[in-house]
Amino acid sequence: MIKLTVNGHEHKLETEPDTPLLYVLRDELALNGAKFGCGLGQCGACTVMLDGEAVFSCLTPLLLAAGKNVTTVEGLGTREAPGPLQRAFIEEQAAQCGYCIAGMMMRAQALLVKNSKPTDAEIRSAMEPNLCRCGTHMRILRAIKRAAALMKSAEAGAAGRARP
């Protein structure tokens, strides 16, 4: 039995340890945000966060995720209450076909967790492993910058409310 924590919820799985994390997320946990793209770790459609690091879930065996925190795009917010990154992608209309967007968001989230004020060059470098064949890269770049600003203002608001 393998214990897996996904989006804050613990799951006990009777799955072969070498099963790709992507298959477990989609087929056993019904979390369909991460997509199967190339299956070779070359497109990034399957990107999720593993203990805060962006990983290709198509190449990550379940055993490597055991005991770690997995975050998928479903963990960023809901349809009714999207998280800052999701809101920014919507406001910038960063998705065209949408196939790569969940992976893009997870790689961007991993960047923003480590670097809350990335430069354009840092964003471009961090996002390099993920591909968008629709060509919305400039909108994605704007969405990540907008998300950084939204997160910063949310933190400032929270800090202001905490003061006596």
Side-chain angles (χ1 to χ4, degrees):
M1 178 174 300
I2 295 176
K3 291 182 182 177
L4 186 66
T5 302
V6 181
N7 301 329
H9 301 282
E10 187 175 298
H11 302 274
K12 295 175 183 170
L13 303 164
E14 298 284 342
T15 306
E16 291 297 319
D18 61 345
T19 303
L21 178 59
L22 176 64
Y23 296 175
V24 173
L25 295 171
R26 292 183 60 83
D27 300 339
E28 296 191 37
L29 303 180
L31 295 169
N32 297 315
K35 303 289 188 277
F36 182 88
C38 64
L40 302 169
Q42 296 178 348
C43 72
C46 66
T47 303
V48 300
M49 288 172 49
L50 192 59
D51 278 350
E53 297 289 331
V55 299
F56 297 125
S57 63
C58 70
L59 298 180
T60 303
L62 176 60
L63 186 59
L64 287 182
K68 297 181 179 174
N69 291 307
V70 178
T71 307
T72 68
V73 72
E74 292 91 345
L76 298 181
T78 64
R79 179 181 292 244
E80 296 76 26
L85 193 59
Q86 293 167 318
R87 283 192 358 237
F89 269 70
I90 293 167
E91 290 167 0
E92 291 294 339
Q93 295 290 296
Q96 190 163 336
C97 83
Y99 201 80
C100 70
I101 293 303
M104 291 281 187
M105 283 188 196
M106 296 317 299
R107 187 158 305 275
Q109 181 72 17
L111 168 66
L112 294 175
V113 166
K114 290 181 185 168
N115 180 357
S116 63
K117 198 175 178 183
T119 64
D120 285 1
E122 290 168 331
I123 294 171
R124 290 173 196 266
S125 176
M127 299 303 292
E128 194 172 326
N130 289 53
L131 302 175
C132 171
R133 289 179 175 84
C134 298
T136 62
H137 293 94
M138 295 310 294
R139 291 187 217 164
I140 292 169
L141 181 72
R142 285 194 309 264
I144 295 168
K145 291 166 64 175
R146 181 184 286 247
L150 288 170
M151 291 173 179
K152 185 177 179 179
S153 68
E155 289 173 11
R161 287 189 297 274
R163 291 186 192 142

